[in-house]
């Protein structure tokens, strides 16, 4: 039902060179170097590298890659033609766009372009090159690329991933693997050769579309493949387009590098996991939030307001999302609905049914957990309003999740929903053949209310079912259900046979039509219009004939080729031009138009006809969109009628009456025979109806009894339902409390079952173990971690065996320390159902202990190296607590001899009598320090002069808990000072004697001088 470039991708074979897109982030440069070091010079493929780093970081990637390969490497700075054997690198803070053989940079303007550049490019690559696209995911953090590779696979491309155990940062590879769409997981050095092998295998295997053109061994191989698929997966693909199925199988043969179809059939039979891989390729549960923004905008602005118009709290709006995949489209629709209802007091109840064939996809949808890259198409406002952040993922809020009922369902076989206001089925019909598409259109029409809406994908339409749907917006693929006559609804294949055994009732023969059969006035009116009104026909907006009167056939002409219902192809050539013009104008103007006196010829006679075109324009009319075309001849028709025409003839009246009487008798005889026949039939029918009535009376009594039992069961179920509702509310509260407790404690905890498989983990556990949501159920031994400890599994086995607590300090590769506690998981019935592993971060405590130990060691080293100083500490009773080696040298006491004894021993007796020790500690406690120089006493009784300082030791509350005293031996200094003093005293005495002697001598000389002077004068 509609085809475009998308469907062409599904069946197209790549004839041109492949384009390999490589996505990486942290640790990706080394992986890219390793990749291109193994790429041959003549690979005949183009390579585009998307490195997701900081917008301000210029990695010089082009120069780095050019150093390891001879293939030309260029950073794309302008629009250039993409060529094989070239490497194109994205510039910083930009993304790349491929279109019509050219690649061009584009500035990151939108949020999704900045946070998911790899996904954006993979999507663009898949949309533009389909099966020629190859995606490669290398080392990196987050889930960048996992969403885009789904589009690559959807369009028939290939996807490869670096082995997570080899990647420096394994989050991008692990998230890609979690999609279960990866063709191979390899060491990065082996990926280039694998892509070359894939390229070489393309075109080597071709399965003929026509069964008659296939060899018998190919026919048998296909039968085996589809039988294995149905046996192992339970899915029947008989309603799928044959070309799409065969191309997908060809692709799997190429991916597995097998020579032909029989080899693949044998491989499929021997490898069970290949059945799931083929199923994933055929189903491709790919979607994303608000896919195709313009149609969703039209749905939000034009359709939902009509659906919600005049709806109150007692009303219900029912929506069905068929083929919902992993739930993004269903949640997108729920968000649009929630924006209209969450803040409205009198809002109607909304129930959304979301169904899909893929049970794994339905499980993912129910969880409602998506990566940041999955949510790249969600606006920041909606992301904040409708999602909660859980680690690196986002979960849809409970109010939105409870709005949707997810279920595994096949709309081709299972019973449909009913009384729906809106059905969305996007990008599913393109995989189905025309018969299945018609069946689906009828199913959706049955499910929709009259006037309900159908929302299809960009590659789909309602062609072939235009009598059931009117076009609302062809561009956005939105259609509206018409109210048509009751049609036979196709009974689903999966409905069990509940028909009771036959009652051995003979079916009455249907009476043949006879002149006496009753006919309704409506049917009579219709017959008269058909016979006497001008010829006419009804077409839809695509000019396809839906109904025509008996006589309109003379204006039509069948031509050779494929049969068609298109009026413009069936109308006689002489009338085609005028009819095409008037049809177009009438539909465009939505008014009645007429063209007169069109000359045309029939059987060599030239005739004139008027054509009237009357479109149905009344809003809300179920016939809206239909067009009535009337052909009115300008000349009276001269056709022979089957009626008996009574003409007047000159015959006796008696003869005429006799002939009329004979005719009436014949009619009466015929009526009597028919009456007798019908009476016999009615008698037989009456007997049968009496038997049926007895059966029905018995069945009614049984039903009455069953009704009472059902009422009783219903009451019990209502009670149980109420209890379950209370329990669910309690469980929700407990779950919320537990979730908040887990988030607040930041204790890494992992719950394992008895097989050591992961059952639950807290967000903090991801700091130690490389866990992602898809790791639930995986053995703990398969999950890489950052612990610098190799005996975790042995410890777990020991705890499960001995049922005792085990504690151990472990460290991680980034030098963090954890206290690991492993204990059994006990149920309330005291049963052991697994193991609980907790990790308490003791990094800060270990660092503090290490710092304290180093500080003590440094202090002790300082004290021990100070040989010239005596350092001792006292408690509040002045008892010795510590004793340095310098104190032992100076005072003669060893540490063992002095510890615990009074520190007063080092004072001389006279100072002890003067209470010098008490003064010293009191002064230190009061003033913060006490200094003194005095004589002290050694163990051998000798004395020495020492200078000392005493300081108090205080705790955190500033209470004195002891004292520390530091002394230095100043005996020699004291002796030198004493000698200097005595020498100074002696020198001063000698000097004074000399001065006195000299003074006496000077006095004598002066006397002699004066005597001499006096004698001279005389």
């Amino acid at each position: 039902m509609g085809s475009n470039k998308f469907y062409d991708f599904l069946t197209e074979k790549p004839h041109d060179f492949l384009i390999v897109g490589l996505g990486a982030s942290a640790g990706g440069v080394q992986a890219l170097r390793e990749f291109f070091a193994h790429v041959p010079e003549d690979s005949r493929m183009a390579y585009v590298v998307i490195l997701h780093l900081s917008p301000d970081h210029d990695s010089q990637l082009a120069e780095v890659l050019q150093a390891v390969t001879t293939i030309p490497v260029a950073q794309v700075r302008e629009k250039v033609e993409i060529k094989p054997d070239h490497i194109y690198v994205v510039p910083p803070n930009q993304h790349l766009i491929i279109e019509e053989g050219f690649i061009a940079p584009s500035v990151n303007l939108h949020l999704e372009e900045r946070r998911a550049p790899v996904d954006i490019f993979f999507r663009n690559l898949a949309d533009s090159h389909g099966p020629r696209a190859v995606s490669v995911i290398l080392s990196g953090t987050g889930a960048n690329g996992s969403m885009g590779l789904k589009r690559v696979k959807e369009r028939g491309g290939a996807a490869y991933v670096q082995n997570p155990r080899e990647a420096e940062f394994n989050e991008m590879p692990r998230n890609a693997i979690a999609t279960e769409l990866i063709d191979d997981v390899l060491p990065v050095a082996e990926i280039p050769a694998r892509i070359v092998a894939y390229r070489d295998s393309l075109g080597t295997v071709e399965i003929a579309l026509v069964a008659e053109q296939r060899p018998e061994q190919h026919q048998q191989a296909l039968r085996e493949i589809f039988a294995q698929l149905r046996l192992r997966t339970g899915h029947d693909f008989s309603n799928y387009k044959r070309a799409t199925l065969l191309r997908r199988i060809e692709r799997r043969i190429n991916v597995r590098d097998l020579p032909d179809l029989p080899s693949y059939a044998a491989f499929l039979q021997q490898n069970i996991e290949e059945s799931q891989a083929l199923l994933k390729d055929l189903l491709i549960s790919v979607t994303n939030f608000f896919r195709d923004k313009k149609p969703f905008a039209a749905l939000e602005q034009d359709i939902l307001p009509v659906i919600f118009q005049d709806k109150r709290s007692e009303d219900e709006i029912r929506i069905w999302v068929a083929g919902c995949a992993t739930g993004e489209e269903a949640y997108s629709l729920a968000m649009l609905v929630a924006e209209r209802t969450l803040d409205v007091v009198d809002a109607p109840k909304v129930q959304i049914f979301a169904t899909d064939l893929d049970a794994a996809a339905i499980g993912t949808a129910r969880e409602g957990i998506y990566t940041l890259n999955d949510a790249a198409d969600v606006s920041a406002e909606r992301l904040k309003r409708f999602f909660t952040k859980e680690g690196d993922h986002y979960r849809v809020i409970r109010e939105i999740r409870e709005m949707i009922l997810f279920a595994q369902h096949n709309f081709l076989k299972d019973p449909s929903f009913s009384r729906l206001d809106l059905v969305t089925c996007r990008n599913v019909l393109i995989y189905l053949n025309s018969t299945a598409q018609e069946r689906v259109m009828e199913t959706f029409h049955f499910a929709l209310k009259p006037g309900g809406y159908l929302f299809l994908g960009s590659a789909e339409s309602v062609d072939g079912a235009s009598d059931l749907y009117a076009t609302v917006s062809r561009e956005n693929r939105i259609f509206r259900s018409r109210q048509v006559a009751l049609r036979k609804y196709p009974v689903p294949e999966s409905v069990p046979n509940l028909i009771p055994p036959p009652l051995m009732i003979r079916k009455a023969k249907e009476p043949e039509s006879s002149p006496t059969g009753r006919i309704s006035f409506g049917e009579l009116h219709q017959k008269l219009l058909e016979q006497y009104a001008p010829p006419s026909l009804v077409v839809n907006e695509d000019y396809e004939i839906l109904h025509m009167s008996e006589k309109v056939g003379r204006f039509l002409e069948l031509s050779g080729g494929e049969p068609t219902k298109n009026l413009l192809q069936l109308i006689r050539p002489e009338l085609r031009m005028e009819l095409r013009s008037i049809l177009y104008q009438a539909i465009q103007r939505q008014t009645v138009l007429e063209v007169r006196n069109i000359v045309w010829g029939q059987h060599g006679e030239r005739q004139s006809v008027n054509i009237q075109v009357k479109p149905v324009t009344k809003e809300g009319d179920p016939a809206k969109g239909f067009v009535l075309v009337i052909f009115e001849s300008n000349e009276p028709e001269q056709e022979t009628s089957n009626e008996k025409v009574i003409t007047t003839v000159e015959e006796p009246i008696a003869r005429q009456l006799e002939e009329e009487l004979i005719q009436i008798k014949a009619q009466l005889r015929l009526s009597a025979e028919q009456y007798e026949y019908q009476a016999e039939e009615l008698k037989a029918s009456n007997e049968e109806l009496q038997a049926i009535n007895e059966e029905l009376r018995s069945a009614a009594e049984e039903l009455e009894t069953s009704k009472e039992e059902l009422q009783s069961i219903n009451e019990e179920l209502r009670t149980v339902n109420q209890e379950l509702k209370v329990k669910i509310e309690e469980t929700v509260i407990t779950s919320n409390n537990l979730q908040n407790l887990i988030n607040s404690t930041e204790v890494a905890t992992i719950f394992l079952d008895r097989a050591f498989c992961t059952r639950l983990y807290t967000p903090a556990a991801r700091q130690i173990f490389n866990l992602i949501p898809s790791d639930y159920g995986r053995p703990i031994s398969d999950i890489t971690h950052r612990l610098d400890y190799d005996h975790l599994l042995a410890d777990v086995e020991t705890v499960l065996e001995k049922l005792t607590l085990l504690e151990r300090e472990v460290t991680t590769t980034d030098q963090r320390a954890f206290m690991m506690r492993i204990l059994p998981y006990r149920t309330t019935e005291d049963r052991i159902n697994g193991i609980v592993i907790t990790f308490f971060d003791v990094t800060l405590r270990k660092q503090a202990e290490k710092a304290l130990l180093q500080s003590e060691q440094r202090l002790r080293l300082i004290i021990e190296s100070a040989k010239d100083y005596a350092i001792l500490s006292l408690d509040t009773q002045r008892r010795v607590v510590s004793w340095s080696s310098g104190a032992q040298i100076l005072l003669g006491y060893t540490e063992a001899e002095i510890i615990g004894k009074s520190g007063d021993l080092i004072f001389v007796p006279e100072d002890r009598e003067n209470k010098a020790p008490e003064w010293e500690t009191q002064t230190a406690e009061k003033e913060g320090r006490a200094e003194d120089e005095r004589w002290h006493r050694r163990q051998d009784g000798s004395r020495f002069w020492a200078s000392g300082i005493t300081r108090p030791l205080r705790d955190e509350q500033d209470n004195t808990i002891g004292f520390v005293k530091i002394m230095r031996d100043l005996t020699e200094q004291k002796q030198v000072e004493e000698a200097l003093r005595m020498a100074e005293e002696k020198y001063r005495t000698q000097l004074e004697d000399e001065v006195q002697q000299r003074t006496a001598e000077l006095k004598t000389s002066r006397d002699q001088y004066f005597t001499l002077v006096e004698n001279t004068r005389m």
Side-chain angles (χ1 to χ4, degrees), residues 749-760 778-781 783 792-793 796 800 822-823 825 833-837:
T749 306
I750 300 178
F751 296 85
L752 308 178
D753 60 16
R754 295 184 66 88
F756 307 143
C757 294
T758 307
R759 289 303 174 200
L760 182 67
R778 290 186 60 191
I780 190 68
S781 57
I783 299 172
L792 176 63
L793 191 59
V796 170
L800 189 60
I822 307 176
L823 65 158
Y825 181 98
N833 274 4
I835 295 294
V836 181
I837 309 174

mmCIF file of all heavy atoms in Angstrom, residues 749-760 778-781 783 792-793 796 800 822-823 825 833-837:
data_model
loop_
_atom_site.group_PDB
_atom_site.id
_atom_site.type_symbol
_atom_site.label_atom_id
_atom_site.label_comp_id
_atom_site.label_asym_id
_atom_site.label_seq_id
_atom_site.Cartn_x
_atom_site.Cartn_y
_atom_site.Cartn_z
ATOM 1 N N THR A 749 25.755 -2.202 45.261
ATOM 2 C CA THR A 749 25.199 -3.500 45.657
ATOM 3 C C THR A 749 24.795 -4.274 44.415
ATOM 4 O O THR A 749 24.189 -3.711 43.497
ATOM 5 C CB THR A 749 23.964 -3.316 46.564
ATOM 6 O OG1 THR A 749 24.319 -2.468 47.663
ATOM 7 C CG2 THR A 749 23.479 -4.649 47.088
ATOM 8 N N ILE A 750 25.131 -5.558 44.386
ATOM 9 C CA ILE A 750 24.762 -6.444 43.281
ATOM 10 C C ILE A 750 24.090 -7.680 43.867
ATOM 11 O O ILE A 750 24.624 -8.293 44.797
ATOM 12 C CB ILE A 750 25.988 -6.854 42.441
ATOM 13 C CG1 ILE A 750 26.668 -5.619 41.850
ATOM 14 C CG2 ILE A 750 25.586 -7.812 41.328
ATOM 15 C CD1 ILE A 750 27.920 -5.938 41.055
ATOM 16 N N PHE A 751 22.927 -8.046 43.336
ATOM 17 C CA PHE A 751 22.211 -9.242 43.743
ATOM 18 C C PHE A 751 22.413 -10.319 42.677
ATOM 19 O O PHE A 751 22.160 -10.070 41.489
ATOM 20 C CB PHE A 751 20.713 -8.952 43.917
ATOM 21 C CG PHE A 751 20.410 -7.980 45.018
ATOM 22 C CD1 PHE A 751 20.448 -6.609 44.795
ATOM 23 C CD2 PHE A 751 20.082 -8.429 46.288
ATOM 24 C CE1 PHE A 751 20.172 -5.703 45.806
ATOM 25 C CE2 PHE A 751 19.794 -7.526 47.304
ATOM 26 C CZ PHE A 751 19.843 -6.167 47.068
ATOM 27 N N LEU A 752 22.872 -11.483 43.096
ATOM 28 C CA LEU A 752 23.086 -12.612 42.190
ATOM 29 C C LEU A 752 22.165 -13.760 42.581
ATOM 30 O O LEU A 752 21.825 -13.922 43.759
ATOM 31 C CB LEU A 752 24.546 -13.088 42.248
ATOM 32 C CG LEU A 752 25.648 -12.045 42.044
ATOM 33 C CD1 LEU A 752 27.013 -12.690 42.192
ATOM 34 C CD2 LEU A 752 25.517 -11.376 40.681
ATOM 35 N N ASP A 753 21.757 -14.558 41.585
ATOM 36 C CA ASP A 753 21.002 -15.760 41.906
ATOM 37 C C ASP A 753 21.971 -16.901 42.219
ATOM 38 O O ASP A 753 23.192 -16.699 42.280
ATOM 39 C CB ASP A 753 20.052 -16.121 40.757
ATOM 40 C CG ASP A 753 20.790 -16.372 39.446
ATOM 41 O OD1 ASP A 753 22.026 -16.567 39.485
ATOM 42 O OD2 ASP A 753 20.138 -16.382 38.385
ATOM 43 N N ARG A 754 21.454 -18.091 42.376
ATOM 44 C CA ARG A 754 22.312 -19.212 42.766
ATOM 45 C C ARG A 754 23.265 -19.617 41.645
ATOM 46 O O ARG A 754 24.271 -20.276 41.891
ATOM 47 C CB ARG A 754 21.446 -20.416 43.173
ATOM 48 C CG ARG A 754 20.614 -20.167 44.427
ATOM 49 C CD ARG A 754 19.860 -21.416 44.825
ATOM 50 N NE ARG A 754 20.754 -22.482 45.243
ATOM 51 C CZ ARG A 754 21.191 -22.658 46.490
ATOM 52 N NH1 ARG A 754 20.804 -21.822 47.447
ATOM 53 N NH2 ARG A 754 21.987 -23.649 46.781
ATOM 54 N N ALA A 755 22.963 -19.204 40.415
ATOM 55 C CA ALA A 755 23.869 -19.477 39.295
ATOM 56 C C ALA A 755 24.837 -18.325 39.074
ATOM 57 O O ALA A 755 25.541 -18.291 38.054
ATOM 58 C CB ALA A 755 23.064 -19.745 38.022
ATOM 59 N N PHE A 756 24.850 -17.371 40.021
ATOM 60 C CA PHE A 756 25.725 -16.198 39.969
ATOM 61 C C PHE A 756 25.413 -15.300 38.766
ATOM 62 O O PHE A 756 26.320 -14.678 38.195
ATOM 63 C CB PHE A 756 27.210 -16.604 39.952
ATOM 64 C CG PHE A 756 27.585 -17.521 41.071
ATOM 65 C CD1 PHE A 756 28.496 -18.552 40.870
ATOM 66 C CD2 PHE A 756 27.027 -17.374 42.327
ATOM 67 C CE1 PHE A 756 28.843 -19.408 41.897
ATOM 68 C CE2 PHE A 756 27.365 -18.228 43.368
ATOM 69 C CZ PHE A 756 28.272 -19.251 43.152
ATOM 70 N N CYS A 757 24.144 -15.239 38.372
ATOM 71 C CA CYS A 757 23.705 -14.336 37.314
ATOM 72 C C CYS A 757 23.117 -13.082 37.952
ATOM 73 O O CYS A 757 22.467 -13.146 38.998
ATOM 74 C CB CYS A 757 22.659 -14.998 36.417
ATOM 75 S SG CYS A 757 23.296 -16.392 35.475
ATOM 76 N N THR A 758 23.328 -11.945 37.299
ATOM 77 C CA THR A 758 22.896 -10.655 37.826
ATOM 78 C C THR A 758 21.372 -10.548 37.811
ATOM 79 O O THR A 758 20.733 -10.776 36.788
ATOM 80 C CB THR A 758 23.486 -9.514 36.978
ATOM 81 O OG1 THR A 758 24.895 -9.683 36.880
ATOM 82 C CG2 THR A 758 23.184 -8.170 37.616
ATOM 83 N N ARG A 759 20.792 -10.219 38.978
ATOM 84 C CA ARG A 759 19.353 -10.032 39.093
ATOM 85 C C ARG A 759 18.975 -8.587 39.375
ATOM 86 O O ARG A 759 17.910 -8.123 38.990
ATOM 87 C CB ARG A 759 18.788 -10.930 40.205
ATOM 88 C CG ARG A 759 18.795 -12.392 39.862
ATOM 89 C CD ARG A 759 18.033 -12.660 38.592
ATOM 90 N NE ARG A 759 18.121 -14.031 38.127
ATOM 91 C CZ ARG A 759 17.872 -14.419 36.900
ATOM 92 N NH1 ARG A 759 17.549 -13.520 35.993
ATOM 93 N NH2 ARG A 759 17.961 -15.679 36.541
ATOM 94 N N LEU A 760 19.836 -7.860 40.070
ATOM 95 C CA LEU A 760 19.551 -6.468 40.408
ATOM 96 C C LEU A 760 20.854 -5.807 40.801
ATOM 97 O O LEU A 760 21.757 -6.470 41.328
ATOM 98 C CB LEU A 760 18.540 -6.383 41.562
ATOM 99 C CG LEU A 760 18.090 -4.980 42.001
ATOM 100 C CD1 LEU A 760 17.273 -4.317 40.903
ATOM 101 C CD2 LEU A 760 17.264 -5.051 43.282
ATOM 102 N N ARG A 778 22.792 -12.032 33.086
ATOM 103 C CA ARG A 778 24.104 -12.478 32.623
ATOM 104 C C ARG A 778 24.972 -12.892 33.813
ATOM 105 O O ARG A 778 24.890 -12.291 34.889
ATOM 106 C CB ARG A 778 24.816 -11.359 31.857
ATOM 107 C CG ARG A 778 24.203 -11.053 30.511
ATOM 108 C CD ARG A 778 25.032 -10.054 29.748
ATOM 109 N NE ARG A 778 26.369 -10.549 29.513
ATOM 110 C CZ ARG A 778 27.374 -9.801 29.052
ATOM 111 N NH1 ARG A 778 27.174 -8.524 28.816
ATOM 112 N NH2 ARG A 778 28.561 -10.317 28.853
ATOM 113 N N PRO A 779 25.830 -13.916 33.646
ATOM 114 C CA PRO A 779 26.725 -14.318 34.745
ATOM 115 C C PRO A 779 27.670 -13.186 35.127
ATOM 116 O O PRO A 779 28.141 -12.437 34.263
ATOM 117 C CB PRO A 779 27.484 -15.510 34.149
ATOM 118 C CG PRO A 779 26.629 -15.999 33.025
ATOM 119 C CD PRO A 779 25.935 -14.791 32.469
ATOM 120 N N ILE A 780 27.952 -13.077 36.406
ATOM 121 C CA ILE A 780 28.832 -12.008 36.881
ATOM 122 C C ILE A 780 30.242 -12.185 36.327
ATOM 123 O O ILE A 780 30.981 -11.213 36.160
ATOM 124 C CB ILE A 780 28.854 -11.998 38.441
ATOM 125 C CG1 ILE A 780 29.562 -10.743 38.963
ATOM 126 C CG2 ILE A 780 29.499 -13.260 38.987
ATOM 127 C CD1 ILE A 780 28.827 -9.467 38.699
ATOM 128 N N SER A 781 30.604 -13.428 35.977
ATOM 129 C CA SER A 781 31.940 -13.682 35.425
ATOM 130 C C SER A 781 32.102 -13.117 34.022
ATOM 131 O O SER A 781 33.225 -12.913 33.555
ATOM 132 C CB SER A 781 32.225 -15.184 35.409
ATOM 133 O OG SER A 781 31.220 -15.863 34.665
ATOM 134 N N ILE A 783 30.980 -10.169 33.086
ATOM 135 C CA ILE A 783 30.928 -8.708 33.149
ATOM 136 C C ILE A 783 32.281 -8.181 33.625
ATOM 137 O O ILE A 783 32.788 -8.596 34.673
ATOM 138 C CB ILE A 783 29.807 -8.242 34.097
ATOM 139 C CG1 ILE A 783 28.453 -8.758 33.572
ATOM 140 C CG2 ILE A 783 29.787 -6.732 34.229
ATOM 141 C CD1 ILE A 783 27.297 -8.536 34.515
ATOM 142 N N LEU A 792 37.090 -12.866 43.018
ATOM 143 C CA LEU A 792 35.705 -12.549 43.378
ATOM 144 C C LEU A 792 34.813 -13.775 43.233
ATOM 145 O O LEU A 792 34.022 -14.090 44.132
ATOM 146 C CB LEU A 792 35.183 -11.399 42.499
ATOM 147 C CG LEU A 792 33.719 -11.023 42.701
ATOM 148 C CD1 LEU A 792 33.487 -10.526 44.118
ATOM 149 C CD2 LEU A 792 33.290 -9.954 41.689
ATOM 150 N N LEU A 793 34.914 -14.477 42.104
ATOM 151 C CA LEU A 793 34.048 -15.634 41.873
ATOM 152 C C LEU A 793 34.306 -16.721 42.918
ATOM 153 O O LEU A 793 33.360 -17.353 43.421
ATOM 154 C CB LEU A 793 34.277 -16.181 40.463
ATOM 155 C CG LEU A 793 33.262 -17.217 39.975
ATOM 156 C CD1 LEU A 793 31.855 -16.626 39.977
ATOM 157 C CD2 LEU A 793 33.622 -17.715 38.579
ATOM 158 N N VAL A 796 32.600 -15.719 46.123
ATOM 159 C CA VAL A 796 31.148 -15.905 46.031
ATOM 160 C C VAL A 796 30.787 -17.372 46.221
ATOM 161 O O VAL A 796 29.841 -17.718 46.935
ATOM 162 C CB VAL A 796 30.639 -15.375 44.666
ATOM 163 C CG1 VAL A 796 29.192 -15.786 44.443
ATOM 164 C CG2 VAL A 796 30.754 -13.867 44.608
ATOM 165 N N LEU A 800 28.448 -19.002 49.256
ATOM 166 C CA LEU A 800 27.271 -19.820 48.974
ATOM 167 C C LEU A 800 27.409 -21.218 49.577
ATOM 168 O O LEU A 800 26.424 -21.835 49.976
ATOM 169 C CB LEU A 800 27.053 -19.918 47.466
ATOM 170 C CG LEU A 800 25.735 -20.555 47.015
ATOM 171 C CD1 LEU A 800 24.545 -19.758 47.534
ATOM 172 C CD2 LEU A 800 25.677 -20.670 45.503
ATOM 173 N N ILE A 822 30.352 -9.903 51.234
ATOM 174 C CA ILE A 822 29.591 -10.903 50.492
ATOM 175 C C ILE A 822 28.804 -11.720 51.501
ATOM 176 O O ILE A 822 29.369 -12.283 52.440
ATOM 177 C CB ILE A 822 30.515 -11.815 49.660
ATOM 178 C CG1 ILE A 822 31.450 -10.973 48.777
ATOM 179 C CG2 ILE A 822 29.707 -12.786 48.812
ATOM 180 C CD1 ILE A 822 32.459 -11.789 48.009
ATOM 181 N N LEU A 823 27.495 -11.805 51.323
ATOM 182 C CA LEU A 823 26.661 -12.555 52.249
ATOM 183 C C LEU A 823 25.532 -13.234 51.487
ATOM 184 O O LEU A 823 25.173 -12.811 50.378
ATOM 185 C CB LEU A 823 26.091 -11.652 53.344
ATOM 186 C CG LEU A 823 25.117 -10.538 52.946
ATOM 187 C CD1 LEU A 823 24.282 -10.140 54.141
ATOM 188 C CD2 LEU A 823 25.884 -9.305 52.434
ATOM 189 N N TYR A 825 21.846 -14.355 50.222
ATOM 190 C CA TYR A 825 20.541 -13.707 50.071
ATOM 191 C C TYR A 825 19.496 -14.642 50.681
ATOM 192 O O TYR A 825 19.239 -15.735 50.173
ATOM 193 C CB TYR A 825 20.243 -13.466 48.592
ATOM 194 C CG TYR A 825 18.926 -12.776 48.322
ATOM 195 C CD1 TYR A 825 18.874 -11.411 48.097
ATOM 196 C CD2 TYR A 825 17.735 -13.485 48.299
ATOM 197 C CE1 TYR A 825 17.672 -10.769 47.850
ATOM 198 C CE2 TYR A 825 16.525 -12.856 48.055
ATOM 199 C CZ TYR A 825 16.498 -11.499 47.838
ATOM 200 O OH TYR A 825 15.304 -10.867 47.588
ATOM 201 N N ASN A 833 18.501 -17.853 48.228
ATOM 202 C CA ASN A 833 18.173 -17.688 46.816
ATOM 203 C C ASN A 833 19.272 -17.003 46.026
ATOM 204 O O ASN A 833 19.061 -16.606 44.882
ATOM 205 C CB ASN A 833 16.879 -16.881 46.661
ATOM 206 C CG ASN A 833 15.664 -17.765 46.736
ATOM 207 O OD1 ASN A 833 15.792 -18.962 46.970
ATOM 208 N ND2 ASN A 833 14.491 -17.197 46.541
ATOM 209 N N GLY A 834 20.433 -16.838 46.619
ATOM 210 C CA GLY A 834 21.514 -16.203 45.879
ATOM 211 C C GLY A 834 22.507 -15.526 46.794
ATOM 212 O O GLY A 834 22.674 -15.905 47.970
ATOM 213 N N ILE A 835 23.157 -14.521 46.258
ATOM 214 C CA ILE A 835 24.248 -13.826 46.940
ATOM 215 C C ILE A 835 24.030 -12.317 46.818
ATOM 216 O O ILE A 835 23.553 -11.826 45.790
ATOM 217 C CB ILE A 835 25.608 -14.208 46.311
ATOM 218 C CG1 ILE A 835 25.906 -15.681 46.544
ATOM 219 C CG2 ILE A 835 26.740 -13.353 46.865
ATOM 220 C CD1 ILE A 835 26.135 -16.068 47.992
ATOM 221 N N VAL A 836 24.416 -11.590 47.866
ATOM 222 C CA VAL A 836 24.410 -10.124 47.847
ATOM 223 C C VAL A 836 25.841 -9.645 48.052
ATOM 224 O O VAL A 836 26.507 -10.050 49.012
ATOM 225 C CB VAL A 836 23.502 -9.535 48.947
ATOM 226 C CG1 VAL A 836 23.500 -8.011 48.868
ATOM 227 C CG2 VAL A 836 22.089 -10.072 48.825
ATOM 228 N N ILE A 837 26.305 -8.817 47.139
ATOM 229 C CA ILE A 837 27.658 -8.256 47.235
ATOM 230 C C ILE A 837 27.524 -6.745 47.405
ATOM 231 O O ILE A 837 26.884 -6.082 46.585
ATOM 232 C CB ILE A 837 28.502 -8.558 45.983
ATOM 233 C CG1 ILE A 837 28.468 -10.051 45.660
ATOM 234 C CG2 ILE A 837 29.933 -8.097 46.177
ATOM 235 C CD1 ILE A 837 29.172 -10.395 44.358
#
